Amino acid sequence: MNGRSSFPLKRVGGLSALAGTAVLGLAVLTSQGVVARGNPNFEGMISAAQPTGFLSSPDAYNISGGAVTVDFDVVTTNFTDLTQTVALNFSAHHILTYNGVNVADGQPGQPGITFSGPAGTTQALMPGSQAFSETWDANAVVAIARTYSFDACGYYQLDMWAPVTPTGDSGRDRATLASGFIRVLGCQGQPTPTPTPTLTPTPTPTATPTPTATPTPTPTATPTPTATATPTPSPTGGVGGATATPTPTGGVQGITTGTPSTGSGNGWLTIGAVLLIAGAGMLAVGVRGRRIDI
């Protein structure tokens, strides 16, 4: 009885463990994203491997100590029996927005973006594009190496491409040989230069001359006239009387003085782990039941 019931239990446990393993593998694969790619059929004559030599976003370069030089290396193969010469360009575009969100600063402090292509982005061409030619002998392998310097933060798309004549309704004006995405951070760590203040001389005050006092003239006293006595005639006859002296009159003149201013991958990992653990448990219980019957 126990032997028969343990078989379906082990079978269910094995299927659960298998499903858990598959979900875990799928979660790991989808979490990686496509960060760089080579064109396996460039204009029907050249095959390019995935480019190397640089850190792919969301990993980041740090320019807090100065500009960084990014390497872009790609191995190419001429799969035709003819010699091929192609005029190529190597350029960088600054990614300004991604799905409508401003990401021009590279999103410091956030996990970052794993790009799978230019879809959903708006970009601006950076100065410093490089034009060169490359020649492949028949069936030859050629390794192409280019460099680009960055001194500003943000996400960037690197492309090695050739201009083509637009045909039909596609509107395509270039053929891409290889491309990749990088992230540059560290601008917030750069010190802002402090301007040196210019000293303004303090003007010296001009002394105001003290006015010289004007002397006040001293008034001159007006002399008082002396009264002259008028003789009184003596009466005729009789006794002579005394002579009266008149009182003099006069005055003194008075003096007047004046006053002076950024996952869904974590959910799949959890589901896979739960299924795997459940399956292992069922297998263990089934084996144990089998041993008891024996």
Side-chain angles (χ1 to χ4, degrees):
M1 178 89 181
N2 287 338
R4 288 192 300 271
S5 62
S6 64
F7 176 72
L9 185 60
K10 288 191 294 182
R11 183 169 58 182
V12 171
L15 292 175
S16 178
L18 179 62
T21 302
V23 171
L24 283 172
L26 179 62
V28 171
L29 288 175
T30 56
S31 66
Q32 298 302 312
V34 178
V35 294
R37 62 179 56 174
N39 188 346
N41 187 7
F42 175 79
E43 297 302 287
M45 53 186 175
I46 304 296
S47 173
Q50 178 175 307
T52 60
F54 57 92
L55 294 175
S56 293
S57 178
D59 292 336
Y61 291 91
N62 189 331
I63 61 170
S64 60
V68 295
T69 299
V70 176
D71 296 322
F72 191 91
D73 305 326
V74 57
V75 176
T76 60
T77 303
N78 176 7
F79 55 75
T80 72
D81 296 330
L82 302 174
T83 298
Q84 306 289 349
T85 298
V86 180
L88 293 170
N89 293 272
F90 180 56
S91 62
H93 282 74
H94 186 189
I95 298 175
L96 306 178
T97 65
Y98 180 64
N99 292 334
V101 178
N102 186 343
V103 296
D105 62 352
Q107 297 180 302
Q110 299 188 35
I113 302 171
T114 300
F115 294 93
S116 59
T121 69
T122 59
Q123 305 183 8
L125 178 65
M126 296 291 291
S129 295
Q130 306 166 25
F132 62 100
S133 294
E134 198 66 55
T135 299
W136 291 261
D137 292 332
N139 301 303
V141 175
V142 175
I144 304 174
R146 311 300 292 185
T147 61
Y148 208 104
S149 294
F150 293 88
D151 60 1
C153 291
Y155 294 105
Y156 297 91
Q157 179 174 342
L158 305 177
D159 293 299
M160 192 171 290
W161 55 279
V164 297
T165 302
T167 56
D169 297 330
S170 65
R172 187 174 71 108
D173 61 355
R174 66 167 61 186
T176 301
L177 180 65
S179 64
F181 295 85
I182 67 168
R183 184 187 189 193
V184 181
L185 298 176
C187 294
Q188 67 276 14
Q190 296 176 342
T192 302
T194 303
T196 304
T198 303
L199 298 178
T200 303
T202 303
T204 303
T206 304
T208 303
T210 304
T212 304
T214 303
T216 303
T218 303
T220 304
T222 303
T224 302
T226 304
T228 304
T230 303
T232 301
S234 301
T236 303
V239 180
T243 301
T245 303
T247 303
T249 60
V252 180
Q253 180 180 0
I255 301 174
T256 302
T257 57
T259 304
S261 167
T262 56
S264 65
N266 291 335
W268 288 111
L269 287 173
T270 303
I271 293 173
V274 170
L275 290 173
L276 183 60
I277 294 172
M282 293 179 186
L283 283 172
V285 172
V287 171
R288 183 180 177 185
R290 181 78 174 184
R291 287 179 179 175
I292 290 175
D293 293 341
I294 293 172

